[in-house]
Amino acid sequence: MFSVRVPGVGSNRVARVLAAHRARARTLDDLTVSNPTRVGLSYPPSLLQPLADPAGLRYDPAPFGMPAARDAVASHLSDRGISVAPDRVVLTASTSEAYSLLFKLLCDPRDVVLVPQPSYPLFEHLTRLEGVVASPYLLEYHGRWELNVESVERAIEPRARAILFVNPNNPTGSFVRPTELEAVREVAAKHELALISDEVFDLYPFDDQARGTAGALVSEPDVLTFTLGGLSKTALLPQLKLGWILVGGPHTLVHRALDRLEFISDTYLSVASPVQGAVGALLKHTRPLTAQVCRRVRANMATLRGLVVQFPACQVLHAEAGWYAVVQVPATRSEEALVIELIEKDGVLVHPGYFFDFPREAFLVVSLLPEPEPFASAMTRVLSRASG
Ligand SMILES: Cc1ncc(COP(=O)(O)O)c(C=O)c1O
């Protein structure tokens, strides 16, 4: 009766242990938290006032979003050094929705998109729900993460339609380097593939001097490109459901893509008018908040690097940006066994590396968003258990 696009629904062992732990009302330090509204940031109480503007009482449906909202996004990006014409800004309800629109635009059922590995676990669901196949290319760690361009070439096949970047990547925190970007865009040009670059974390470099290649594909001359971002990370307001796609590439191809994308967006019209009316003000008023998160993730990363010195069997992998840290731990038991022990004995939740398709064990992925004191205390328990 049901579509094979939806996998059999059932919980895994970690989820069952976690549910049992919570049912016993035991406390838990959550080092997987990715929801910025739940980590003690001080949001100005009046921040959402622009949503109450009476202009939001009027509905003027526009497939790509209201012109003023598209202008506001383009102007915000221009302040960050990313120059894009407002008529190449397409508003969506989220980055996840942007992927689903783009897979509809570019792929027939069973077509292939190339995704980085390790990377964002939701790709498995986002592709599967569109009837598309995710084929991995490799990010490899040699003291820093490097994109294996040969693995991109190996993954190309007749049904390939697009190459995805996550720049900077979740959870490795690595930017795509200029040489890697250039090599992959050549592959894309040769095989007439589109490039999709998810840049939701680009406001969170660990070092102001090393800001990476985010934004580079917006002015791409030869290949059709789609650069993704949104309020979820850029303004720390995931609940408002507003994201964007910036379309780049040769003029004719961009217009052919926009015509088709308009048909798809017009079918859903999913971005609410009040948030479109408010987006310009929100992007202005959330700058102190994003600065708070930058300070938080940098401080927690420094704490982690300091702590790990006392646990020489563990290593924090080099990272450049984002909200996560990857810790390599001794592979004396499986990642799953360690994660379960950490829940049951230490009251700490972390992600196992296999969740992100690391090629081997044992890695743990931790969020750098929690408040500094609980982060330091929970992280000490994690390193101590992993080393034991
Ligand atoms: C790489 C990446 N892209 C997109 C998203 C989700 O963004 P949105 O809330 O706009 O769907 C996340 C969420 O953590 C992410 O890690």
Side-chain angles (χ1 to χ4, degrees):
M1 179 182 280
F2 299 111
S3 165
V4 291
R5 284 175 301 173
V6 185
V9 183
S11 60
N12 61 33
R13 217 172 131 219
V14 173
R16 284 196 296 276
V17 169
L18 186 61
H21 184 90
R22 285 190 162 131
R24 290 196 296 272
R26 301 246 163 100
T27 57
L28 189 78
D29 283 310
D30 186 357
L31 294 188
T32 67
V33 65
S34 63
N35 179 347
T37 68
R38 303 293 299 274
V39 291
L41 301 175
S42 39
Y43 285 82
S46 61
L47 184 64
L48 298 187
Q49 257 171 20
L51 289 172
D53 188 326
L57 288 169
R58 185 186 160 101
Y59 183 39
D60 286 319
F64 289 158
M66 287 152 45
R70 298 167 75 195
D71 284 349
V73 170
S75 140
H76 164 82
L77 291 168
S78 147
D79 292 349
R80 288 166 46 190
I82 300 173
S83 166
V84 59
D87 64 359
R88 290 184 173 204
V89 176
V90 173
L91 300 187
T92 66
S94 64
T95 316
S96 291
E97 192 194 49
Y99 281 115
S100 87
L101 303 181
L102 292 176
F103 295 156
K104 285 179 179 66
L105 172 73
L106 299 167
C107 301
D108 291 320
R110 290 181 297 283
D111 277 350
V112 170
V113 295
L114 275 58
V115 299
Q117 186 183 69
S119 190
Y120 186 37
L122 213 61
F123 283 145
E124 192 186 324
H125 298 187
L126 292 168
T127 48
R128 186 175 178 143
L129 289 172
E130 295 302 325
V132 171
V133 178
S135 176
Y137 68 86
L138 304 178
L139 303 184
E140 291 168 344
Y141 191 73
H142 306 289
R144 61 173 211 195
W145 289 96
E146 289 172 12
L147 190 160
N148 181 327
V149 178
E150 269 177 32
S151 75
V152 176
E153 278 162 358
R154 274 200 305 276
I156 302 286
E157 52 160 295
R159 299 207 69 155
R161 294 291 173 265
I163 304 173
L164 275 58
F165 292 116
V166 183
N167 188 19
N169 189 35
N170 167 11
T172 61
S174 47
F175 279 113
V176 179
R177 271 158 231 292
T179 48
E180 297 168 344
L181 195 70
E182 183 49 33
V184 176
R185 61 169 289 289
E186 270 176 29
V187 176
K190 182 169 152 205
H191 296 276
E192 296 186 7
L193 306 179
L195 291 174
I196 300 175
S197 185
D198 177 337
E199 304 187 351
V200 298
F201 288 112
D202 78 323
L203 273 185
Y204 304 97
F206 295 150
D207 174 355
D208 285 327
Q209 308 309 313
R211 298 198 73 99
T213 46
L217 291 175
V218 172
S219 48
E220 160 64 38
D222 301 323
V223 176
L224 184 63
T225 69
F226 303 95
T227 300
L228 313 185
L231 289 190
S232 160
K233 306 287 185 290
T234 305
L236 301 162
L237 294 168
Q239 70 275 42
L240 294 195
K241 309 309 295 177
L242 185 140
W244 50 81
I245 304 172
L246 315 176
V247 186
H251 189 78
T252 332
L253 208 46
V254 167
H255 283 277
R256 288 174 59 206
L258 284 171
D259 286 347
R260 288 163 175 78
L261 209 45
E262 184 167 8
F263 171 84
I264 303 169
S265 296
D266 197 26
T267 305
Y268 295 98
L269 294 168
S270 50
V271 193
S273 303
V275 70
Q276 294 189 54
V279 65
L282 293 170
L283 284 167
K284 282 198 185 90
H285 292 130
T286 46
R287 284 175 197 208
L289 270 173
T290 52
Q292 258 185 76
V293 169
C294 251
R295 284 195 297 276
R296 169 83 57 90
V297 295
R298 289 176 188 190
N300 281 340
M301 187 56 126
T303 301
L304 174 56
R305 289 194 185 288
L307 283 173
V308 91
V309 174
Q310 301 159 44
F311 300 94
C314 302
Q315 186 201 355
V316 182
L317 300 198
H318 176 80
E320 296 153 337
W323 292 359
Y324 303 96
V326 179
V327 185
Q328 184 165 16
V329 297
T332 43
R333 67 274 229 202
S334 69
E335 287 171 353
E336 182 179 72
L338 175 57
V339 169
I340 287 173
E341 260 185 73
L342 282 166
I343 297 170
E344 290 182 329
K345 297 190 176 154
D346 301 289
V348 187
L349 179 64
V350 298
H351 280 309
Y354 69 74
F355 188 55
F356 301 85
D357 281 332
F358 278 69
R360 62 191 164 81
E361 301 217 348
F363 297 92
L364 300 177
V365 173
V366 296
S367 165
L368 298 168
L369 284 185
E371 296 194 57
E373 272 184 30
F375 176 81
S377 134
M379 212 51 241
T380 307
R381 275 149 35 225
V382 171
L383 294 170
S384 165
R385 176 74 54 196
S387 303

